[in-house]
Amino acid sequence: MFTQFSTWDIVRNLLEGGKWTLALTLIAFVLGGIAGLLVLFARIAGSRLLQTASKAYIEVFQGTPLLMQLFIVFFGLSLAGVDVSPWVAAAIGLTLFTSAYLAEIWRGCVESVSKGQWEASASLAMRYTEQMRYVILPQALRIAIPPTVGFSVQVVKGTAVASIIGFAELTKTGSMLANATFQPFMVFGFVALGYFFLCYPLSLYAKHLERKFHVAR
Amino acid sequence: MSLVKIAGLHKHFGSNHVLKGIDLEIAEGEVVAIIGRSGSGKSTLLRTINGLESIDDGEIVVDGATLHAGDKDLRPLRLKVGMVFQQFNLFPHLTAGENVMLAPTVVKKTPRAEAMEIARKMMAKVGLAEKFDSYPDQLSGGQQQRVAIARALAMNPRVLLCDEITSALDPELVNEVLSVVKQLAAEGMTLVMVTHEMRFAREVGDKLVFMYQGRVHEAGPPRELFANPQTEELASFVGSIN
């Protein structure tokens, strides 16, 4: 006997999945932001070794599909004897992915601060760390806000691949519902709407910030 | 005893030998104007004096702080030498007053209240006391450059380097900046300036240095050099700008 699903049942279940999509996004973004900051500092540090290592890190995560990264974290960790849930694997994978991209975005922002700012602060006898803290980073931060918010849209959409390793976020919930209801078109229509309602305000906000900072400069 | 002593200075940019053995002494309170065509090495020479350009050979001594090729710690030298740039390079995220206060608080660890007092004094000195809380983008080019001068002076440098500080200004704003420089000169500040303002160099300068192809080609009192150039190159340079 088949259970009958009302449209409301579908939406209710999808909202439940959507909550996990949101949670995964937030975790990936916050932890990825912190890790990204560390990678950024390594990337722009004076040390050759740190520069090369961070550059390799960024290249690896930008040069391979997110799906492969998740597989490697999920299956790699189990192979190493660490039993991770799909939830933890997805969080780790997306955090690494996010950190690599944010580090690269932010590096661009730091480098867009003009050479004259470095020279002026250097001529005032400030050391590298003082120049960074008081002159360069405050300016880079302003420049970084719009592209960072813009990138958060990519993270939201990126969480969809976590469905492959069985994490019941929005997409996975959708495919389970599609199998149970035989109404894939309607179900995935709702899934797409869900992503859109998460992403669209973020894009709008990013555009707004871009315009605001553009005018302010 | 000279305040600034440059000896046997060489600098290469790749295969381009831009400074080919510079010897120059600057006495305390002296105003030195460095002139020459673009590419003669005049800006590079100025920028070596506070370590913004590394040197390949030779020595720079400013009031006991020395710089040699390969030196990493430039702070002792930079504490003695202030610099003002063609493009002002004010910190756009800070107010004029904060621009002036930043280095004393961060580098010299001057207490905030004291740094504020120094900053107010310096802003008054350049005639901008009332612009203390304005942001750089609310100021005219001439005002920004005067804030930049105040910012350099707040560190109490022994010598102030000026790198074409009026070149980026609209003509009507040049004088307000030059008059601040003139006042500094009158107060006995040691100044080294790369400039295209020949009239100003003649009027305020104690020594004129004519750079040609990476060397000091002629040097001496401005009036004499302008009136009676000893080399063909200086004569043609003076002729081309007058």
Side-chain angles (χ1 to χ4, degrees):
Chain A
M1 196 64 205
F2 291 114
T3 321
Q4 288 298 311
F5 284 86
S6 68
T7 307
W8 169 240
D9 287 331
I10 293 173
V11 170
R12 197 163 41 85
N13 280 295
L14 285 177
L15 283 175
E16 188 63 29
K19 263 196 332 215
W20 288 105
T21 289
L22 196 61
L24 192 55
T25 303
L26 284 176
I27 290 214
F29 205 66
V30 171
L31 295 183
I34 295 168
L37 212 53
L38 295 177
V39 179
L40 166 72
F41 285 131
R43 185 74 184 79
I44 58 181
S47 146
R48 264 293 128 117
L49 185 70
L50 282 176
Q51 268 187 32
T52 313
S54 53
K55 193 165 175 218
Y57 178 90
I58 291 168
E59 294 293 345
V60 164
F61 284 99
Q62 289 198 337
T64 55
L66 175 57
L67 185 57
M68 294 306 125
Q69 295 164 18
L70 277 190
F71 279 165
I72 286 170
V73 171
F74 188 51
F75 298 118
L77 284 178
S78 356
L79 257 181
V82 187
D83 195 21
V84 287
S85 66
W87 159 240
V88 173
I92 294 175
L94 275 159
T95 296
L96 296 175
F97 166 83
T98 306
S99 68
Y101 272 88
L102 285 180
E104 192 61 3
I105 290 172
W106 291 342
R107 182 183 66 89
C109 297
V110 168
E111 286 181 357
S112 73
V113 176
S114 80
K115 195 165 150 259
Q117 296 290 310
W118 285 100
E119 293 191 343
S121 47
S123 75
L124 290 164
M126 292 169 79
R127 292 189 204 284
Y128 178 80
T129 47
E130 295 164 345
Q131 293 177 287
M132 267 293 170
R133 175 164 169 209
Y134 296 103
V135 177
I136 306 301
L137 287 182
Q139 294 182 60
L141 188 70
R142 268 176 76 97
I143 305 168
I145 291 169
T148 303
V149 174
F151 178 70
S152 65
V153 171
Q154 302 304 317
V155 180
V156 174
K157 292 192 287 187
T159 59
V161 303
S163 61
I164 303 283
I165 56 173
F167 178 59
E169 39 65 76
L170 186 54
T171 301
K172 178 71 182 173
T173 310
S175 54
M176 291 189 298
L177 284 168
N179 286 336
T181 60
F182 303 108
Q183 289 182 298
F185 186 75
M186 183 179 73
V187 172
F188 283 115
F190 279 128
V191 169
L193 264 181
Y195 281 111
F196 186 76
F197 282 128
L198 283 174
C199 292
Y200 188 58
L202 286 171
S203 326
L204 274 188
Y205 187 51
K207 274 207 194 78
H208 164 76
L209 288 173
E210 213 162 298
R211 214 170 307 134
K212 192 170 133 193
F213 285 121
H214 195 72
V215 171
R217 281 181 72 80
Chain B
M1 178 62 189
S2 45
L3 181 68
V4 179
K5 189 163 188 270
I6 298 169
L9 189 65
H10 285 267
K11 166 78 183 170
H12 300 256
F13 283 125
S15 62
N16 189 7
H17 197 173
V18 282
L19 296 178
K20 304 171 184 165
I22 306 284
D23 299 294
L24 187 63
E25 296 204 12
I26 299 166
E28 175 139 34
E30 204 167 24
V31 177
V32 178
I34 305 175
I35 60 168
R37 291 186 199 287
S38 56
S40 62
K42 57 189 193 306
S43 261
T44 308
L45 171 61
L46 194 74
R47 289 161 57 85
T48 59
I49 301 178
N50 72 346
L52 280 185
E53 299 289 354
S54 63
I55 61 176
D56 296 323
D57 197 12
E59 183 187 48
I60 299 174
V61 186
V62 180
D63 190 28
T66 59
L67 177 77
H68 296 99
D71 278 358
K72 287 274 181 286
D73 186 15
L74 302 168
R75 185 171 262 201
L77 181 71
R78 285 175 174 165
L79 284 170
K80 309 265 186 187
V81 184
M83 184 154 185
V84 184
F85 300 84
Q86 182 176 351
Q87 297 296 337
F88 330 138
N89 297 339
L90 291 182
F91 308 133
H93 59 298
L94 302 176
T95 64
E98 288 166 344
N99 263 275
V100 182
M101 287 169 63
L102 183 66
T105 44
V106 168
V107 176
K108 289 191 171 171
K109 315 284 179 220
T110 309
R112 220 186 132 72
E114 198 182 319
M116 172 98 77
E117 199 181 317
I118 296 171
R120 290 206 183 278
K121 221 165 78 190
M122 294 307 151
M123 287 290 282
K125 198 185 185 73
V126 299
L128 290 172
E130 78 286 4
K131 297 290 185 189
F132 196 86
D133 295 316
S134 300
Y135 281 90
D137 61 4
Q138 299 169 315
L139 301 174
S140 74
Q143 291 171 332
Q144 288 189 52
Q145 193 60 295
R146 282 146 71 197
V147 174
I149 294 172
R151 180 175 68 178
L153 292 178
M155 290 296 279
N156 197 21
R158 297 301 312 273
V159 50
L160 187 64
L161 310 177
C162 301
D163 191 4
E164 298 193 31
I165 62 170
T166 56
S167 299
L169 295 174
D170 291 336
E172 74 272 19
L173 302 175
V174 168
N175 276 331
E176 63 181 79
V177 172
L178 290 185
S179 68
V180 169
V181 177
K182 206 165 158 181
Q183 176 201 335
L184 290 176
E187 288 170 7
M189 185 76 197
T190 310
L191 293 164
V192 186
M193 42 200 304
V194 168
T195 185
H196 294 296
E197 301 284 338
M198 294 306 148
R199 217 157 52 101
F200 184 76
R202 182 160 22 187
E203 204 180 315
V204 180
D206 300 309
K207 184 195 264 176
L208 196 70
V209 172
F210 174 61
M211 296 279 296
Y212 184 76
Q213 294 185 349
R215 291 193 172 86
V216 174
H217 207 59
E218 262 191 72
R223 276 165 218 281
E224 274 173 40
L225 253 66
F226 279 124
N228 197 6
Q230 297 298 303
T231 61
E232 209 175 289
E233 290 77 18
L234 179 57
S236 110
F237 180 75
V238 170
S240 69
I241 47 161
N242 278 353

